[in-house]
Amino acid sequence: MLKKTAGIVINYTKFRETSIITKIFTRDLGLKTYLINGVRSNKSKTKMAHFQPLTLLDLVVYEKENANINRLSEVKLARAFHRIPFDFYRSGISMFMGEVLGKIIFDNYQNEQFFDFLFEEISALDSENFQPGLFILLFLMKTSRFLGFEPSDAADFYLQLPLNQTGKAYEDKKNYLDRLMLSTADTLPTIPGKTKSTLMDDWLLFYKIHMEGFGEVKSLAVLRTMTG
């Protein structure tokens, strides 16, 4: 059966000499795995650029019930990127987001609201008015809402972490997190770099606690080299 749907590429792996197997989070069918034959060949009509992580696609797919690997009938860009591929920092953030999404979205998981949120976040990352400072922290914070474990406030957040923290540094980051959780796009706090980095580590630990097999996010180290 042929179905039309929008999709967000999560990742891909090479398969044989010229093909790939890609995971795409689709709006209507959830996370699906697709075999793309010959796409790495010079003769392919479909471009490999279409399957880079976070690429936004419009798809026509062959949907076969209970199939582990499916096929695409048509693929085209839903929104072409103008900045992410050409900006090291944006590319680093997209690599981080793709790695996180690969750990938290499971086969056949379907959530239209979460898909729409991701589509807008990725579009914002590519936009001219992109604000890099708190983008990743806000992404992790907002995503936890869709996964069902968003903390109610900073005290609730730190209560769930296996950390024995006291002192001024702990109180400072707790206060900054509270301000961030209560902020709007127009009232975002300015958070010192060291505190922001520590908050990032705390949020990733929070995800490890709530998502089985979450593990380490390798792209974080790469991203930090870009930001100093």
Side-chain angles (χ1 to χ4, degrees), residues 52-56 77 79-86 122-123 126:
Q52 299 304 311
L54 302 193
T55 304
L56 307 175
L77 295 177
R79 184 173 296 182
F81 290 150
H82 299 289
R83 297 173 181 85
I84 292 175
F86 314 107
I122 296 165
S123 297
D126 193 61

Side-chain angles (χ1 to χ4, degrees), residues 15 45 48 69 88 102 116 126 140 172 178 205-206 223 225:
F15 180 69
K45 294 180 181 180
M48 265 303 298
I69 297 181
F88 284 124
D116 292 342
D126 193 61
L140 292 172
D172 283 348
D178 263 331
L205 177 59
F206 190 72
L223 187 61
T225 64

Side-chain angles (χ1 to χ4, degrees), residues 11-114:
N11 54 46
Y12 75 86
T13 55
K14 295 178 181 178
F15 180 69
R16 295 181 177 169
E17 290 188 9
T18 60
S19 302
I20 63 170
I21 293 175
T22 181
K23 287 188 175 290
I24 301 178
F25 183 39
T26 70
R27 189 176 193 274
D28 300 286
L29 304 170
L31 182 67
K32 292 292 182 179
T33 302
Y34 296 100
L35 172 63
I36 318 294
N37 283 323
V39 69
R40 291 162 51 220
S41 166
N42 292 333
K43 298 178 182 179
S44 175
K45 294 180 181 180
T46 305
K47 298 178 180 179
M48 265 303 298
H50 285 18
F51 302 101
Q52 299 304 311
L54 302 193
T55 304
L56 307 175
L57 300 174
D58 282 328
L59 306 167
V60 178
V61 305
Y62 294 102
E63 177 61 12
K64 188 175 181 181
E65 191 174 354
N66 299 323
N68 292 325
I69 297 181
N70 297 275
R71 293 182 181 272
L72 300 178
S73 173
E74 298 176 22
V75 55
K76 63 180 181 179
L77 295 177
R79 184 173 296 182
F81 290 150
H82 299 289
R83 297 173 181 85
I84 292 175
F86 314 107
D87 182 312
F88 284 124
Y89 189 40
R90 293 179 206 244
S91 295
I93 292 177
S94 71
M95 184 167 56
F96 174 88
M97 290 173 66
E99 186 177 354
V100 169
L101 293 175
K103 293 172 178 291
I104 65 176
I105 302 178
F106 300 99
D107 286 347
N108 299 312
Y109 170 77
Q110 193 259 341
N111 185 323
E112 292 178 3
Q113 289 75 30
F114 187 34

